[in-house]
């Protein structure tokens, strides 16, 4: 199968997850770019940031149109993550491939376990600035270091720390993801390795279209079913990456 078709297929799956769940799908972008499309770990994490920034910004528009974005809360999370995202993004470009792959596999496994747990419902919405800022800073660091959107961390934090309803937490997480990914991408300028735009462009386009379909899918299939399905896939991917690092 050609690289173009592989990029389109991978992008569609990742966009589907991002649009439906607000997070988790973008974690699949890095292993897809490495193992399916032949990117180096450094180039894959940078390319992933390009894909995630464009896709999350597009999905954010759809959620905002329906009033499912808490702008004040999302802005607080995003601002707190700007400096950590920039510093981690700058550092990641200089680390050995094995370190990036190993760290990514651990985070992917944690994301899978988080997705396999039942969704929690938070208390009535109440912004706790200190906790929100701390969660936002941690999320920014993860985004910058590993090239993932971090929605699998943002959505639970927005539910448990702030008390957003799940639907609103998904929409708000996209704002945080878009800002953090853009900042981390800026920090990686010139350190991302060989970026193959002939692959990244169709990958991104398919992910954007998939995000719109994912949002529609979320209205037809329960969120728990979607989370479990992607959680098992992600757990398998994490296991493969850990084995790859070990050998």
């Amino acid at each position: 199968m050609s690289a173009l078709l592989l990029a389109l297929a991978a992008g569609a799956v990742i966009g589907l997850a991002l649009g439906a769940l607000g997070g988790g799908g973008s974690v699949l972008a890095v292993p897809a770019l490495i193992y399916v499309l032949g990117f180096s770990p450094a180039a894959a994490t940078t390319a992933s940031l390009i894909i995630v920034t464009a896709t999350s910004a597009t999905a954010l528009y759809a959620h905002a149109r329906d009033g499912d974005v808490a702008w004040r809360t999302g802005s607080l999370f995003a601002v707190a993550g700007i400096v950590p995202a920039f510093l981690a993004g700058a550092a990641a470009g200089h680390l050995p491939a094995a370190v990036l792959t190993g760290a990514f596999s651990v985070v992917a496994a944690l994301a899978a376990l988080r997705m396999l747990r039942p969704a929690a419902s938070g208390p009535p919405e109440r912004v706790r600035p200190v906790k929100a800022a701390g969660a936002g800073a941690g999320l920014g660091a993860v985004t910058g270091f590993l090239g993932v959107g971090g929605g699998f961390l943002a959505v639970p934090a927005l539910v448990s720390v702030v008390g957003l309803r799940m639907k609103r937490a998904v929409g708000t997480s996209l704002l945080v993801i878009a800002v953090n990914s853009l900042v981390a991408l800026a920090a990686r300028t010139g350190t991302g390795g060989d970026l193959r735009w002939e692959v990244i462009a169709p990958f991104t386009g398919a992910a954007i279209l998939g995000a719109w379909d994912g949002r529609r899918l979320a209205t037809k299939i329960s969120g728990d079913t979607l989370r479990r399905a992607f959680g098992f896939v992600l757990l398998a991917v994490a296991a493969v990456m850990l084995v790859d690092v070990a050998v």
Side-chain angles (χ1 to χ4, degrees):
M1 188 180 294
S2 70
L4 174 60
L5 292 178
L6 289 171
L8 290 172
V13 171
I14 287 157
L16 197 68
L18 189 62
L21 304 175
S26 61
V27 184
L28 294 173
V30 171
L33 289 164
I34 294 174
Y35 295 107
V36 178
L37 293 163
F39 280 61
S40 69
T45 51
T46 301
S48 175
L49 287 171
I50 297 171
I51 295 161
V52 170
T53 299
T55 307
S56 58
T58 303
L60 172 63
Y61 169 77
H63 283 267
R65 188 181 57 185
D66 292 341
D68 290 328
V69 178
W71 292 101
R72 180 187 171 203
T73 302
S75 297
L76 179 59
F77 263 67
V79 168
I82 286 176
V83 172
F86 188 87
L87 295 176
H94 302 286
L95 292 175
V99 173
L100 282 175
T101 304
F104 187 92
S105 62
V106 171
V107 170
L110 293 174
L113 294 175
R114 169 72 73 175
M115 294 175 77
L116 290 172
R117 288 172 54 188
S121 57
E125 182 176 339
R126 178 181 164 197
V127 178
R128 301 175 177 88
V130 175
K131 288 186 177 181
L139 178 63
V142 171
T143 299
F145 188 65
L146 299 177
V148 299
F152 65 91
L153 296 174
V155 172
L158 289 165
V159 171
S160 60
V161 176
V162 182
L164 294 181
R165 299 184 311 276
M166 180 59 67
K167 188 175 181 182
R168 206 160 189 233
V170 168
T172 305
S173 76
L174 292 167
L175 169 63
V176 181
I177 292 167
V179 172
N180 285 344
S181 299
L182 185 60
V183 170
L185 182 60
R188 286 170 177 252
T189 302
T191 63
D194 180 25
L195 295 179
R196 291 152 49 197
W197 288 102
E198 72 278 7
V199 173
I200 295 174
F203 197 123
T204 304
I208 289 172
L209 293 176
W212 285 90
D213 288 336
R215 193 167 182 281
R216 287 194 291 268
L217 181 65
T219 66
K220 299 177 181 178
I221 302 177
S222 73
D224 285 340
T225 300
L226 287 170
R227 274 190 297 276
R228 281 196 296 269
F230 281 105
F232 282 121
V233 171
L234 193 53
L235 197 58
V237 169
V240 169
M241 295 184 78
L242 281 172
V243 170
D244 184 45
V245 173
V247 298

mmCIF file of all heavy atoms in Angstrom, residues 3-4 8 14 63 83 112-113 119 124 129 132 143 159:
data_model
loop_
_atom_site.group_PDB
_atom_site.id
_atom_site.type_symbol
_atom_site.label_atom_id
_atom_site.label_comp_id
_atom_site.label_asym_id
_atom_site.label_seq_id
_atom_site.Cartn_x
_atom_site.Cartn_y
_atom_site.Cartn_z
ATOM 1 N N ALA A 3 2.339 5.128 0.543
ATOM 2 C CA ALA A 3 2.406 5.987 1.727
ATOM 3 C C ALA A 3 1.203 6.924 1.795
ATOM 4 O O ALA A 3 0.711 7.240 2.890
ATOM 5 C CB ALA A 3 3.706 6.801 1.693
ATOM 6 N N LEU A 4 0.705 7.347 0.626
ATOM 7 C CA LEU A 4 -0.443 8.250 0.601
ATOM 8 C C LEU A 4 -1.682 7.575 1.187
ATOM 9 O O LEU A 4 -2.380 8.150 2.027
ATOM 10 C CB LEU A 4 -0.717 8.702 -0.838
ATOM 11 C CG LEU A 4 -1.982 9.552 -1.046
ATOM 12 C CD1 LEU A 4 -1.906 10.830 -0.220
ATOM 13 C CD2 LEU A 4 -2.172 9.863 -2.519
ATOM 14 N N LEU A 8 -3.688 8.531 4.669
ATOM 15 C CA LEU A 8 -5.116 8.840 4.683
ATOM 16 C C LEU A 8 -5.858 7.961 5.685
ATOM 17 O O LEU A 8 -6.712 8.436 6.443
ATOM 18 C CB LEU A 8 -5.706 8.653 3.285
ATOM 19 C CG LEU A 8 -5.277 9.682 2.224
ATOM 20 C CD1 LEU A 8 -5.764 9.262 0.845
ATOM 21 C CD2 LEU A 8 -5.801 11.068 2.583
ATOM 22 N N ILE A 14 -7.370 8.621 13.483
ATOM 23 C CA ILE A 14 -6.969 9.525 14.554
ATOM 24 C C ILE A 14 -7.942 10.699 14.665
ATOM 25 O O ILE A 14 -8.326 11.108 15.766
ATOM 26 C CB ILE A 14 -5.523 10.004 14.311
ATOM 27 C CG1 ILE A 14 -4.568 8.837 14.604
ATOM 28 C CG2 ILE A 14 -5.169 11.217 15.175
ATOM 29 C CD1 ILE A 14 -3.247 8.937 13.939
ATOM 30 N N HIS A 63 -17.342 22.418 18.174
ATOM 31 C CA HIS A 63 -17.821 22.386 19.560
ATOM 32 C C HIS A 63 -18.203 23.788 20.036
ATOM 33 O O HIS A 63 -19.187 23.949 20.770
ATOM 34 C CB HIS A 63 -16.744 21.794 20.467
ATOM 35 C CG HIS A 63 -16.635 20.305 20.379
ATOM 36 N ND1 HIS A 63 -17.301 19.460 21.228
ATOM 37 C CD2 HIS A 63 -15.938 19.501 19.525
ATOM 38 C CE1 HIS A 63 -17.019 18.201 20.919
ATOM 39 N NE2 HIS A 63 -16.196 18.200 19.884
ATOM 40 N N VAL A 83 4.557 27.910 28.783
ATOM 41 C CA VAL A 83 5.999 27.836 29.063
ATOM 42 C C VAL A 83 6.476 26.377 29.146
ATOM 43 O O VAL A 83 7.483 26.023 28.515
ATOM 44 C CB VAL A 83 6.348 28.612 30.348
ATOM 45 C CG1 VAL A 83 7.814 28.375 30.733
ATOM 46 C CG2 VAL A 83 6.105 30.099 30.153
ATOM 47 N N ALA A 112 -4.163 4.698 27.818
ATOM 48 C CA ALA A 112 -5.060 3.575 27.568
ATOM 49 C C ALA A 112 -5.797 3.173 28.839
ATOM 50 O O ALA A 112 -7.014 2.944 28.829
ATOM 51 C CB ALA A 112 -4.265 2.388 27.024
ATOM 52 N N LEU A 113 -5.065 3.088 29.949
ATOM 53 C CA LEU A 113 -5.692 2.709 31.216
ATOM 54 C C LEU A 113 -6.717 3.754 31.646
ATOM 55 O O LEU A 113 -7.782 3.419 32.178
ATOM 56 C CB LEU A 113 -4.613 2.539 32.297
ATOM 57 C CG LEU A 113 -3.648 1.365 32.064
ATOM 58 C CD1 LEU A 113 -2.551 1.375 33.118
ATOM 59 C CD2 LEU A 113 -4.397 0.039 32.079
ATOM 60 N N ALA A 119 -15.992 6.668 32.926
ATOM 61 C CA ALA A 119 -15.939 8.125 32.942
ATOM 62 C C ALA A 119 -16.518 8.648 34.243
ATOM 63 O O ALA A 119 -17.559 8.180 34.708
ATOM 64 C CB ALA A 119 -16.714 8.700 31.767
ATOM 65 N N PRO A 124 -20.606 20.328 40.397
ATOM 66 C CA PRO A 124 -20.962 21.519 39.631
ATOM 67 C C PRO A 124 -19.730 22.344 39.289
ATOM 68 O O PRO A 124 -18.790 22.442 40.083
ATOM 69 C CB PRO A 124 -21.900 22.280 40.581
ATOM 70 C CG PRO A 124 -22.483 21.206 41.441
ATOM 71 C CD PRO A 124 -21.379 20.203 41.635
ATOM 72 N N PRO A 129 -8.362 27.979 40.503
ATOM 73 C CA PRO A 129 -7.235 28.488 39.713
ATOM 74 C C PRO A 129 -5.917 27.754 39.940
ATOM 75 O O PRO A 129 -5.205 27.449 38.980
ATOM 76 C CB PRO A 129 -7.137 29.959 40.151
ATOM 77 C CG PRO A 129 -8.524 30.304 40.594
ATOM 78 C CD PRO A 129 -9.061 29.064 41.226
ATOM 79 N N ALA A 132 -6.162 24.165 38.562
ATOM 80 C CA ALA A 132 -6.294 24.234 37.109
ATOM 81 C C ALA A 132 -4.966 24.617 36.461
ATOM 82 O O ALA A 132 -4.579 24.050 35.433
ATOM 83 C CB ALA A 132 -7.372 25.236 36.728
ATOM 84 N N THR A 143 2.617 17.603 26.243
ATOM 85 C CA THR A 143 2.405 17.941 24.835
ATOM 86 C C THR A 143 3.721 18.304 24.151
ATOM 87 O O THR A 143 4.027 17.821 23.057
ATOM 88 C CB THR A 143 1.417 19.110 24.706
ATOM 89 O OG1 THR A 143 0.168 18.732 25.265
ATOM 90 C CG2 THR A 143 1.212 19.499 23.245
ATOM 91 N N VAL A 159 -12.909 17.544 34.149
ATOM 92 C CA VAL A 159 -14.061 16.986 34.853
ATOM 93 C C VAL A 159 -13.841 16.986 36.356
ATOM 94 O O VAL A 159 -14.690 17.435 37.136
ATOM 95 C CB VAL A 159 -14.369 15.549 34.352
ATOM 96 C CG1 VAL A 159 -15.417 14.878 35.237
ATOM 97 C CG2 VAL A 159 -14.852 15.585 32.915
#
